[in-house]
Amino acid sequence: MNSVEGLVNQIQGLSTTASDVLSLQNLLKQADDSLHAESTRLLPFLDQLDPSKHSLGYLYFLEACTAGPVTKEQAGSYVLMIARFITSCIAEQIRLAPDKFITVCKRFKDQVLLLEEPLRGVAPMLTAIRKLQSSSEHLTALHPEFLLLCLLSRCYKAGLSILEEDVFEVDQPRDLFLFCYYGGMISIGKKWFRKALELLHNVVTAPMSTVNAIAVEAFKKYILVSLIHHGQSPTNLPKYASSVAQRNLKNLCQPYIELANSYSNGKIADIETYVEANKDKFESDNNLGLVKQAVSSMYKRNIQRLTQTYLTLSLQDIANRVQLNSPKEAEMHVLQMIKDGEIYATINQKDGMVRFLEDPEQYKTCEMIEHIDSSIQRLMTLSKKLNGLDELMSCDPLYLLKAGRERQRFDFDDFDNVPQRFNI
Amino acid sequence: MDGIEGASNPMMEEMQANGTGGVDGSPLTSTSRRKNRPIVSGEPLDIEAYAGLYTGRTKIKRLMFIANHCDNPGMQLEALRMAYDEIKRGENTHLYREVVQKIDGRLGPNYAMDAAWCSTIERKAEQRKEKLESELNAYRTNLIKESIRMGYNDFGDFYYAHGALGDAFKSYVRTRDYCTTSKHIIQMCLNAILVSIEMVQFSNVTSYVSKAEQTPEALDPPTVAKLCCAAGLAHLEAKKYKLAARKFLEVGPELGNSYSEVIAPQDVATYGGLCALASFDRTELKNKVIDNINFRDFLELVPEVRELINDFYSSHYASCLEYLGNLKSNLMLDIHLYDLVETLYDQIRNKALIQYTLPFVSVDMRMMADAFKTSVVGLEKELEALITDNQIQARIDSHNKILYARHADQRNATFQRVLQTGNEFDQEVRAMLLRSSLLKYDYNIRALRKH
């Protein structure tokens, strides 16, 4: 008890200047084990510490406190405490002990789920991410946890802000996989299929030495979303995908590959029978809804193809060519597509004719010019970043060593270990 | 449209009645023209005239092919009878047995199995083979190049006459090592080509044609013509219609009947004409076919093909397609063309459709359907297929049955492509930076573990 009290005093004393905080950190590291030993009795001490000033100390105490198994009643109080801590803590202090912070937040998530109120965790987790990130391009271990909470609470919009940011620095590959997978699922939920495709593509083509379950599930969704968005499924993974993925992913997702094949044949009856036959498999993967969306996207694609060939077409003809049952159904489909902005057409109900129009976008408005301009700016920044990275890499001594070793040797001098004449 | 069709009919009648030849006015008697034009539109094939164009093994093969694929039993029996007679003049007992089986006694006792003849031929063959072998061995021990070459050549001829095509080919190829002059090489190549064509192995044909063409000194015009024909046939079998057409159009008039073991000049005209029509564009068609003086002589032999090419060029599609329809049944009996007829016809028809719509901004589909002798519904389906295939730039107004030409707006298309490319670049570079960061992490972990 004494040591704990003493620790509390020290925390209170040493939490003001940066150098003090550093020495405090050393003390805390040494005292960590003893804190864990006394975890059950630490709760009252927390009241003596102020999270907004003594963040680091509070963090250590909190981490030790919540280390053991937690009951539902305890969970309620812990959740409040951790939420308050996250909102009021000082970012610089907690960045000194990121692992502890991450552990605390993960436990927070577990408790929130235990209470079956994921919504309570969404906002605090977002704040936690912002405080932990060193920059907006940094992917922390908390990102996937946050997205998981968003998914479970169906609060998709909150996930949007995180998804819109570009990620370039990653702590742990597993975080990235989960992040992109959950991000893909959220995007599917909001019907942002292009974003979903991008995120799932990242999972599937990420470097991996063995196939992991996340990649397999992501690949299944990737096929379905490609069908919905592009009307065709990726036949082969691009060359930069890992060889492990290229060899194995297809074998593990056989029903989906066959679904994609029957989609490309274009017969709606075939694909519907296939879906019926394999309903259980799709359902066990929780993909049945997505599969149904893929099937209905087939009608859309067929109608879109008609716009390329016809100027006007009767509803009866549309129904025949797209294999719908009646002109009424065709009318409903076309109407829905016009509303969603997927085709440009007018329906003449008197004659039962649909007239297909050209895309009215003339690329002459101010908004369009601004859009193009901002795209150019964005791409130029990206390009500069790429060049910067390339320059950095070409100065890296390890790279030079390897490149030097593998270069052609025409001269005796070339056989040295370190490249003396490095010709780029 | 009606006026033109009326004009072509009296021309046809005039040709048949007066016996005058084609446009050049070269005098031909009606009987000789009969011999030169066995494929007369609409009438069943005159087998005797047709068979008269060929000699050797190809004659037998063609007759048997006609017998197998013809519906008319009279023609079948006629073909089989002629095949039987031809085989009896040769030494191929294998084919003989085949033909007798096909005849099945339907032609009477004269055309039944003559076992005595078979055994005589086979015995003679054995004797001849032994003799050739001993001669060849003698030559080989004496190491006289020319004799060895002739020995192998004789072997090749022997095997060919008896239908052992693989052995014939091998023997001919073995003369290669003993060829001293370019004439020998040409002879070897021609033999090899002949056997390869009979064996339906056209890859060998192409290689031997190129080999022969590499010895220009000994190439006289008939040989050049023969090589062009062989090359054309090889391309035809490989379904490379454009190349086949070009080769057939290069065949000079010196061919005459010198290559009757393989191909007749009528065939050169038909194959060349149809392939050109299916694959050339208008300029090439005019320059290489219509204005080609050499090829005109060949086209004289098959006036229907000449007429249909002219009709196509002058946009008289109905009569062009009518000629095609009439020729079809006889072309299906040709051993090289039968499996390609459908494809060629489809291509020609598609070209006609595309050419019809090209000059117009809007086309009334009813008039077009009349011009092509089809229904509006059928025409709509065909046009839809061509539009989807991007061969016609147009849109169909299904309500009023009008086809409107549609020219893509380049400016809009460019903007769209630009924005799309920008997005793709954006996505790919970001994904690339992400992947590189993962790889760096991986590398660092491995480096840490090593230390």
Side-chain angles (χ1 to χ4, degrees), chain A residues 171 308 310-312 321 362, chain B residues 384 395-397 411 441:
Chain A
D171 276 344
Q308 294 300 312
Y310 286 93
L311 262 184
T312 63
R321 282 166 209 278
Q362 286 295 313
Chain B
E384 186 186 336
R395 293 280 181 277
I396 301 178
D397 181 346
R411 183 177 173 278
Y441 171 84

Side-chain angles (χ1 to χ4, degrees), chain A residues 39-54:
Chain A
S39 62
T40 44
R41 289 177 291 175
L42 290 175
L43 207 48
F45 288 100
L46 281 175
D47 297 330
Q48 296 180 16
L49 294 172
D50 180 4
S52 56
K53 283 195 241 145
H54 315 126

Side-chain angles (χ1 to χ4, degrees), chain A residues 309-373:
Chain A
T309 330
Y310 286 93
L311 262 184
T312 63
L313 198 56
S314 69
L315 285 168
Q316 180 64 47
D317 272 333
I318 294 182
N320 290 342
R321 282 166 209 278
V322 180
Q323 295 155 37
L324 286 169
N325 290 329
S326 72
K328 263 280 163 233
E329 267 191 48
E331 190 178 337
M332 280 181 22
H333 268 97
V334 173
L335 196 59
Q336 188 61 39
M337 284 174 78
I338 298 178
K339 266 200 250 165
D340 290 336
E342 287 164 1
I343 59 173
Y344 304 99
T346 52
I347 305 181
N348 183 337
Q349 282 189 325
K350 184 165 67 109
D351 298 332
M353 280 281 166
V354 178
R355 189 179 187 79
F356 296 118
L357 307 164
E358 295 285 336
D359 182 357
E361 177 61 65
Q362 286 295 313
Y363 299 96
K364 286 182 186 158
T365 59
C366 282
E367 289 87 23
M368 183 49 74
I369 308 249
E370 272 180 40
H371 176 61
I372 297 180
D373 195 45

Side-chain angles (χ1 to χ4, degrees), chain A residues 163-176:
Chain A
L163 284 177
E164 298 247 308
E165 293 168 0
D166 299 332
V167 170
F168 294 128
E169 258 181 74
V170 174
D171 276 344
Q172 273 253 6
R174 188 167 170 274
D175 297 335
L176 179 71

